[in-house]
């Protein structure tokens, strides 16, 4: 099983906070998992942006995951791709990228998790935890209890894939979210929308440190 970080940062295009600076800020604070999300961009712009942040990623030994666009992930030789329900089928993505690249998928229900777990993927993002303005076409909000139920049921069904909670998670929510039994969290607005993105990154890293362990993705949810 590939190593999946517990802290995923998802970029968000902002005119006053360039993506390269976002990446540098979070990596400098210890984040080593960057998901490049450029929903409104074309393939060429996504590829150019991916290549432009490589020097920063290399400096911090961070991974680059491309959101939605398997073709860009392949062209940029990124570490992997994260695909949603309306994107390429996981099996097609695996065929294109090969066995060594990371593939993550989005789920909103237990049925989604069980279906996706049948494919050759490496983690599942479950959410949204709460409303978020950084994501369009939002699925029904799950909240803490919804994520808890999905994680618990998935483990009962034998799903051992790391589950990452996503959607509107702020530093004040981290303890409650991690207690659902998830492997980690993915955030965007909590950092790029903060007055001090570096301080927000550090606060998240500090809280997650309390929950990290070699068997974190196999823990039962705390009650």
């Amino acid at each position: 099983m590939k190593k999946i970080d517990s802290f995923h940062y998802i970029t968000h295009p902002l005119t006053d906070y360039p993506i390269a600076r976002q990446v540098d800020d979070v990596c400098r604070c210890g984040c080593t998992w960057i998901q490049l999300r450029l929903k409104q961009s074309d393939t060429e712009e996504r590829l150019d942006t991916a290549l432009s942040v490589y020097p920063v990623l290399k400096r911090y030994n961070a991974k680059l995951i491309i959101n939605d666009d398997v073709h860009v992930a392949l062209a940029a030789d990124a570490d992997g791709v994260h695909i949603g329900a309306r994107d390429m089928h996981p099996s097609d993505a695996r065929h294109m990228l090969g066995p060594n690249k990371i593939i993550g998928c989005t789920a909103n229900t237990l049925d989604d998790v069980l279906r996706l777990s049948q494919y050759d993927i490496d983690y599942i993002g479950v959410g949204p935890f709460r409303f978020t303005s950084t994501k369009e076409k939002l699925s029904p909000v799950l909240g803490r209890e919804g994520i808890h139920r999905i994680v618990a049921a998935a483990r009962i069904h034998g799903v051992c894939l790391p589950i990452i909670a996503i959607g509107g998670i702020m530093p004040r929510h981290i303890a409650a979210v991690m207690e659902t039994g998830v492997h980690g969290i993915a955030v965007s607005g909590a950092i790029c929308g903060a007055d001090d993105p570096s301080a927000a990154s550090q606060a998240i890293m500090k809280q997650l440190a309390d929950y990290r362990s070699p068997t974190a993705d196999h823990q039962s949810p705390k009650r």
Side-chain angles (χ1 to χ4, degrees):
M1 184 179 289
K2 301 180 184 75
K3 180 182 181 297
I4 306 300
D5 286 12
S6 61
F7 178 21
H8 298 196
Y9 177 66
I10 304 174
T11 67
H12 186 62
L14 296 168
T15 55
D16 58 346
Y17 192 23
I19 285 177
R21 202 169 116 217
Q22 294 178 35
V23 172
D24 188 75
D25 281 349
V26 296
C27 288
R28 187 162 18 91
C29 294
C31 177
T32 57
W33 189 289
I34 304 298
Q35 184 185 137
L36 180 65
R37 185 166 70 188
L38 292 168
K39 288 288 189 182
Q40 304 304 319
S41 300
D42 58 21
T43 295
E44 183 178 1
E45 185 177 354
R46 289 186 189 122
L47 179 57
D48 288 345
T49 304
L51 296 176
S52 73
V53 298
Y54 261 130
V56 179
L57 298 171
K58 185 176 181 180
R59 189 185 319 143
Y60 295 104
N61 195 29
K63 290 182 173 64
L64 176 64
I65 307 297
I66 305 296
N67 180 270
D68 292 351
D69 201 324
V70 179
H71 297 282
V72 168
L74 184 64
D77 193 25
D79 295 282
V81 68
H82 184 96
I83 49 183
R86 298 178 181 87
D87 303 319
M88 183 180 289
H89 192 281
S91 295
D92 294 333
R94 177 61 70 199
H95 178 73
M96 284 184 62
L97 296 177
N100 299 322
K101 298 297 185 180
I102 295 165
I103 295 179
C105 294
T106 298
N108 180 247
T109 67
L110 175 61
D111 286 345
D112 290 340
V113 172
L114 298 181
R115 173 179 52 82
L116 290 167
S117 68
Q118 299 175 46
Y119 303 118
D120 184 11
I121 64 173
D122 302 292
Y123 73 93
I124 298 175
V126 172
F129 167 68
R130 59 193 287 271
F131 175 79
T132 172
S133 60
T134 63
K135 180 77 161 59
E136 296 181 356
K137 299 178 181 177
L138 204 64
S139 297
V141 170
L142 295 172
R144 180 191 181 279
E145 292 306 315
I147 291 178
H148 183 174
R149 285 194 296 270
I150 290 174
V151 173
R155 299 316 182 209
I156 290 172
H157 281 83
V159 177
C160 295
L161 287 169
I163 293 177
I164 304 295
I166 184 172
I169 298 170
M170 305 301 281
R172 65 182 181 276
H173 302 129
I174 291 175
V177 172
M178 293 302 294
E179 286 173 358
T180 66
V182 296
H183 176 77
I185 60 168
V187 302
S188 184
I191 292 175
C192 68
D195 292 334
D196 187 339
S198 294
S201 300
Q202 290 171 346
I204 290 171
M205 293 293 295
K206 184 175 185 300
Q207 291 188 68
L208 285 175
D210 295 336
Y211 291 92
R212 286 190 182 126
S213 74
T215 57
D217 54 322
H218 298 291
Q219 290 176 348
S220 299
K222 297 178 182 178
R223 300 186 183 276

